[in-house]
C-alpha cells in the first residue's frame, strides 16, 4: 500500500496491453530494476522513467543507484531513459546525464517556485538549473548533452 492505494504487480502482458491501448509513445514510470526496464522494453514502451516516486516506495532505492545498470541492460535499445527524484539543481541533472539518463524530469524542484511565484518562479528555477548544468559541462569539457559518460564523476 502506497499513499493508501493498494499496489500490486504489473505483469508484462498488462504493460503490453497499456502500450497497445495508448496508440502513442508510451512511457512507463517507476522503473527501479533492470528486470522492470527489460519488461518495459519487451512491452514496447518508448521510454521509461527511473523513479521511486519521490521516496513513496518504502522498498525503493535511489534512482541514480540503479540507473547505470539499467543503461547497460538497454544499450542496444532505442528506448529513452528519463530519471526523476531529487533533481533540484543543474548539478543533479549533470550527475543523472553522466550516469546514463537521456533526460531528467523535474517535479518537486519546481513546485515551491510555482506555488510562491507562479510561472515566473518556474522559469527562474529552470533557468538557474540550466546555468548550473552549463557551468559543470564547461568545467568538465562536456560539449553537449549527448557527450556525457560516467568518467566525469568520481564514484
Amino acid at each position: 500500500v502506497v499513499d493508501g492505494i493498494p499496489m500490486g504487480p504489473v505483469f508484462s502482458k498488462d504493460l503490453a496491453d497499456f502500450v497497445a491501448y495508448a496508440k502513442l509513445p508510451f512511457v512507463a514510470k517507476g522503473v527501479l530494476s533492470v528486470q522492470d526496464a527489460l519488461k518495459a522494453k519487451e512491452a514496447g514502451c518508448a521510454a521509461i522513467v527511473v523513479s521511486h516516486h519521490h521516496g513513496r516506495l518504502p522498498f525503493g532505492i535511489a534512482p541514480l543507484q540503479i540507473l547505470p545498470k539499467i543503461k547497460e541492460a538497454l544499450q542496444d535499445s532505442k528506448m529513452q531513459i528519463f530519471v526523476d527524484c531529487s533533481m533540484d539543481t543543474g548539478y543533479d541533472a549533470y550527475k543523472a546525464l553522466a550516469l546514463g539518463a537521456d533526460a531528467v524530469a523535474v517535479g518537486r524542484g519546481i513546485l515551491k517556485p510555482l506555488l510562491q511565484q507562479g510561472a515566473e518562479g518556474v522559469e527562474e528555477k529552470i533557468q538557474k538549473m540550466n546555468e548550473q548544468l552549463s557551468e559543470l559541462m564547461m568545467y568538465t569539457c562536456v560539449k553537449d548533452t549527448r557527450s556525457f559518460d560516467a568518467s566525469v564523476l568520481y564514484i
Side-chain angles (χ1 to χ4, degrees):
V1 176
V2 176
D3 289 344
I5 300 168
M7 305 301 283
V10 175
F11 296 101
S12 295
K13 183 184 178 332
D14 300 327
L15 190 54
D17 289 346
F18 296 148
V19 171
Y21 181 79
K23 297 184 176 117
L24 292 168
F26 192 91
V27 179
K29 183 176 179 186
V31 173
L32 275 180
S33 70
V34 170
Q35 179 183 4
D36 285 349
L38 294 174
K39 184 189 298 184
K41 177 184 169 189
E42 291 168 14
C45 293
I48 58 172
V49 181
V50 181
S51 173
H52 63 16
H53 304 292
H54 200 69
R56 289 183 168 167
L57 301 177
F59 50 82
I61 63 170
L64 294 187
Q65 285 181 292
I66 193 66
L67 177 60
K69 290 182 181 177
I70 289 174
K71 180 69 173 185
E72 182 181 341
L74 297 176
Q75 67 184 350
D76 296 329
S77 172
K78 292 184 180 183
M79 181 185 293
Q80 296 287 295
I81 302 172
F82 308 141
V83 67
D84 74 356
C85 301
S86 301
M87 296 293 122
D88 194 47
T89 67
Y91 309 130
D92 298 325
Y94 179 92
K95 293 173 208 171
L97 293 167
L99 290 171
D102 294 304
V104 299
V106 181
R108 291 206 186 234
I110 60 171
L111 186 57
K112 187 175 179 182
L114 175 64
L115 295 174
Q116 292 179 344
Q117 300 166 283
E120 185 177 308
V122 173
E123 289 174 16
E124 288 176 15
K125 175 71 173 183
I126 297 297
Q127 179 63 36
K128 175 84 171 173
M129 290 180 75
N130 282 329
E131 289 170 3
Q132 293 166 337
L133 176 60
S134 295
E135 174 188 24
L136 268 185
M137 289 172 67
M138 178 188 67
Y139 289 151
T140 56
C141 299
V142 176
K143 66 180 180 173
D144 58 47
T145 56
R146 293 176 304 281
S147 301
F148 277 101
D149 65 72
S151 70
V152 297
L153 300 176
Y154 176 77
I155 300 175

